C-alpha cells in the first residue's frame, strides 16, 4: 500500500497550491483530482488583481490577458476607468491548475488525475483513504497522516453524506468562451466589464473578460434566492444573450466553449474547518468572496495558511488544527460576513435606481481607487489625500453599500 504524509483531494487553486507548498517543503504529497484533464472543468472566469501573480509565484504563461481598464455598466449608467499600468490578469484557469500540478510533480509529489475520493477511515495513527481511478476497475486504498478536503463546493471529504452538510447559499455562473471580430475584441481588450442592475441581470452580475487575441469570456452569475422586488426568474443563458446582443454587439462571434459551476457558500462561515486530522481549505470553507464572487486568490491564501499548520502538525509542534481555524477566522471572518450582508442587499434587495446611483458615485474616482473599493474594500486608505469633492463621493459610495446594515456589524 502506498503511504504519504498528506493526501490532498481536489486540484483546484486551493488544493494545487497547498500541495505545491508542502511538496516544496519536502513533505510526501499525493494530490488527487477527479477530473482526468483540467480543460474539462475550466469553469472559472479567473479575473484577479495583479498581486495574485506575485504573491503566489504564478508565471505569465498562466495569464490569458492583462487588464488595466474597468467598466461598470448599470441599467442607465456607465463608469469607465483606465490606468497606465496593468492592474490585474485574467488567468487561463486550465493552465493555472496545470501549472500548480506540474510544480507539485517537479517538487517530488504525486498527482493522480481522473481519480475520485470515495471515503476514509482511521486505523491507529493513520488515515486509510479509498480512491477510485478512471483507468482501473478496482478501488485503491492509500495511507496518510493528514487528509485535506480541497474539493470546493462539494466538500466531499468533510461530509460523508449530503444530509450532514449545513445549509448553503448557492450562486450559479455560466460562461461562454467566444471568438469575436477584431474590432469588437479591440474595444474590450485590457478591460474587465461588469454589468449590474435589473435590466441586465437582477440577482447577480454579468461580465466580459478578455482572453488571448480575439477571444472573450462572457458570462452571467446569479444567486439562487428570491429578489424582494423582481419576481421574474431570468435564466442565465438569457442574460448572456442580452449582454451579447444589446451590449457587446460583435459583428461576428463563435462559441468555443460553454462552462459553468455552482458555488455553495456557508452563511457566517459556519463550515467545519477540521475534524481530527482532516483539514478543509478553499471553497470547501467558503473562501470565495460573496460580494464579488472572486475566489482564486482567497482559496490560495487559505492553502498557504493550512500548509503552515500542516507542517507544524507533522513536526509534532501542535496536536490539532484549532490554530488553523483561528487564523482563518482572523483573516476572513469580519470582511466575509460583511460582504455576505452587502451581497444579499445589492443582489436581492436594492432598487434599480440605487444600483445606478452606486455607479454614478464611483465615476469621479481613479481606477486604482475603484479597484481598492471593489477588490480590497479599502475605504479608509482612499480617503486620505482626496479633495472634499472626492471625499463626499466616497462617503456616498460607502453609505450606499452599507445602507440598511446594522452599525455594530461594521465594527465587529
Ligand atoms: C462561473 C464562475 C466564475 C468565476 N470567476 C472567478 C473570477 O473571475 N475570479 C476569481 O478569483 N474567482 C472566480 N470564481 C471563483 C473561483 O473559481 C473559486 O472560488 C475557486 O476555483 C475555488 O478554488 P478551490 O480550489 O477551493 O475549489 P475548486 O476550484 O472548485 O476545486 C475543487 C476541485 O476538487 C475536485 N473534486 C471535487 N470532488 C472531488 C472528489 N470526490 N474527488 C476528487 N476530486 C474532487 C473538483 O473536480 C475540482 O477540481 C468563479 C467561479 C465560477 C463558478
Amino acid at each position: 500500500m502506498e503511504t504519504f504524509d498528506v493526501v490532498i483531494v481536489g486540484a483546484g487553486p486551493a488544493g494545487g497550491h497547498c500541495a505545491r507548498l508542502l511538496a516544496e517543503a519536502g513533505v510526501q504529497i499525493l494530490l488527487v483530482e477527479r477530473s482526468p484533464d483540467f480543460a474539462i472543468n475550466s469553469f472559472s472566469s479567473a479575473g484577479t488583481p495583479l498581486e495574485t501573480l506575485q504573491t503566489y509565484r504564478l508565471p505569465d504563461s498562466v495569464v490569458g490577458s492583462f487588464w488595466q481598464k474597468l467598466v461598470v455598466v448599470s441599467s442607465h449608467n456607465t463608469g469607465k476607468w483606465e490606468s497606465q499600468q496593468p492592474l490585474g490578469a485574467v488567468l487561463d484557469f486550465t493552465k493555472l491548475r496545470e501549472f500548480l500540478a506540474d510544480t507539485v510533480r517537479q517538487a517530488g509529489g504525486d498527482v493522480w488525475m481522473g481519480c475520485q475520493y470515495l471515503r476514509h477511515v482511521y486505523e491507529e495513527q493513520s488515515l486509510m483513504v479509498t480512491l477510485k481511478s478512471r483507468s482501473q476497475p478496482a478501488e485503491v486504498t492509500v495511507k496518510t497522516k493528514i487528509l485535506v478536503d480541497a474539493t470546493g463546493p462539494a466538500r466531499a471529504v468533510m461530509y460523508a453524506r449530503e444530509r450532514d452538510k449545513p445549509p448553503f447559499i448557492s450562486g450559479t455562473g455560466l460562461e461562454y468562451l467566444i471568438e469575436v471580430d477584431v474590432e469588437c475584441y479591440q474595444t474590450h481588450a485590457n478591460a474587465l466589464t461588469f454589468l449590474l442592475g435589473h435590466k441586465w441581470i437582477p440577482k447577480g452580475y454579468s461580465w466580459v473578460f478578455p482572453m488571448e487575441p480575439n477571444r472573450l469570456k462572457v458570462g452571467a452569475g446569479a444567486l439562487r434566492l428570491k429578489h424582494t422586488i423582481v419576481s421574474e426568474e431570468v435564466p442565465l443563458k438569457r442574460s448572456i444573450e442580452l449582454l451579447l446582443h444589446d451590449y457587446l454587439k460583435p459583428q461576428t462571434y463563435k462559441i468555443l466553449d460553454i462552462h459553468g459551476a455552482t458555488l455553495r457558500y456557508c452563511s457566517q462561515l459556519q463550515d467545519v474547518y477540521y475534524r481530527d486530522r482532516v483539514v478543509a481549505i478553499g471553497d470547501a470553507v467558503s473562501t470565495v468572496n460573496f460580494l464579488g464572487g472572486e475566489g482564486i486568490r482567497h482559496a490560495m491564501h487559505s492553502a498557504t495558511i493550512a500548509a503552515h499548520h500542516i507542517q507544524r502538525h507533522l513536526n509534532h509542534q501542535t496536536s490539532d488544527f484549532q490554530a488553523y481555524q483561528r487564523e482563518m477566522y482572523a483573516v476572513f471572518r469580519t470582511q466575509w460576513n460583511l460582504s455576505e450582508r452587502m451581497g444579499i442587499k445589492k443582489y436581492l434587495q436594492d432598487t434599480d435606481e440605487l444600483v445606478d446611483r452606486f455607479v454614478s458615485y464611483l465615476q469621479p474616482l481613479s481606477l486604482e481607487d475603484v479597484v481598492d473599493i471593489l477588490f480590497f474594500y479599502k475605504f479608509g486608505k482612499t480617503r486620505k489625500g482626496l479633495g472634499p469633492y472626492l471625499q463626499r463621493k466616497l462617503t456616498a459610495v460607502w453609505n450606499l453599500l452599507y445602507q440598511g446594515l446594522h452599525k455594530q456589524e461594521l465594527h465587529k
Side-chain angles (χ1 to χ4, degrees), residues 55-326:
T55 309
Y56 301 107
R57 294 179 284 132
L58 301 178
D60 283 0
S61 59
V62 307
V63 174
S65 175
F66 287 97
W67 57 268
Q68 57 195 70
K69 289 188 230 166
L70 203 56
V71 181
V72 181
V73 183
S74 61
S75 296
H76 308 98
N77 229 333
T78 300
K80 287 188 183 175
W81 302 268
E82 188 161 358
S83 161
Q84 298 307 310
Q85 316 290 336
L87 290 187
V90 180
L91 306 177
D92 182 317
F93 198 55
T94 302
K95 288 186 184 164
L96 167 69
R97 293 170 301 159
E98 277 170 359
F99 166 77
L100 293 172
D102 283 345
T103 59
V104 174
R105 290 187 195 99
Q106 281 156 19
D110 282 34
V111 181
W112 293 0
M113 297 296 294
C115 186
Q116 183 163 4
Y117 161 89
L118 295 180
R119 62 188 170 275
H120 68 272
V121 290
Y122 285 92
E123 215 168 76
E124 292 171 4
Q125 290 310 301
S126 299
L127 277 150
M128 313 301 280
V129 184
T130 304
L131 308 165
K132 173 79 183 71
S133 166
R134 282 179 166 234
S135 56
Q136 290 164 12
E139 294 176 1
V140 180
T141 299
V142 297
K143 201 178 193 182
T144 185
K145 294 175 188 156
I146 292 172
L147 178 60
V148 177
D149 187 345
T151 61
R155 295 163 172 89
V157 182
M158 202 47 97
Y159 302 95
R161 295 169 307 187
E162 198 58 35
R163 65 172 184 268
D164 297 335
K165 294 177 184 174
F168 299 116
I169 303 175
S170 298
T172 300
L174 179 70
E175 186 178 76
Y176 298 178
L177 177 66
I178 57 171
E179 197 159 80
V180 293
D181 53 277
V182 177
E183 199 184 326
C184 176
Y185 182 77
Q186 290 306 335
T187 313
H188 298 280
N190 310 324
L192 293 192
T193 302
F194 297 96
L195 292 91
L196 306 159
H198 298 190
K199 171 183 167 185
W200 299 108
I201 175 161
K203 295 198 291 185
Y205 62 84
S206 46
W207 63 85
V208 183
F209 286 6
M211 285 292 280
E212 62 263 46
N214 302 338
R215 289 187 176 190
L216 298 172
K217 287 173 170 174
V218 293
L223 290 175
R224 287 187 177 173
L225 289 172
K226 284 210 176 314
H227 198 291
T228 52
I229 300 168
V230 185
S231 55
E232 192 197 356
E233 291 295 326
V234 184
L236 294 175
K237 195 167 172 264
R238 185 136 45 97
S239 297
I240 297 179
E241 277 160 12
L242 185 70
L243 178 157
L244 275 168
H245 300 126
D246 279 26
Y247 179 75
L248 205 63
K249 298 179 186 160
Q251 284 167 26
T252 58
Y253 76 91
K254 190 166 120 198
I255 299 175
L256 304 174
D257 188 34
I258 298 181
H259 45 249
T262 294
L263 296 169
R264 298 199 296 167
Y265 186 89
C266 189
S267 179
Q268 305 283 309
L269 298 183
Q270 292 299 310
D271 287 293
V272 175
Y273 284 76
Y274 69 95
R275 214 175 255 139
D276 203 343
R277 275 162 285 146
V278 181
V279 182
I281 62 175
D283 279 1
V285 284
S286 305
T287 50
V288 63
N289 183 275
F290 192 93
L291 188 61
E294 199 208 330
I296 291 173
R297 70 193 156 114
H298 308 308
M300 294 174 93
H301 190 172
S302 77
T304 307
I305 298 171
H308 167 72
H309 290 279
I310 289 169
Q311 276 180 275
R312 282 175 55 82
H313 194 278
L314 291 172
N315 294 334
H316 308 289
Q317 291 164 296
T318 163
S319 59
D320 64 27
F321 287 94
Q322 252 184 52
Y324 164 62
Q325 177 164 351
R326 270 202 306 275

Side-chain angles (χ1 to χ4, degrees), residues 198 227 229 345 349-357:
H198 298 190
H227 198 291
I229 300 168
K345 180 181 172 309
Q349 296 167 354
D350 272 359
T351 61
D352 207 27
E353 195 245 323
L354 271 181
V355 183
D356 280 334
R357 223 191 295 163

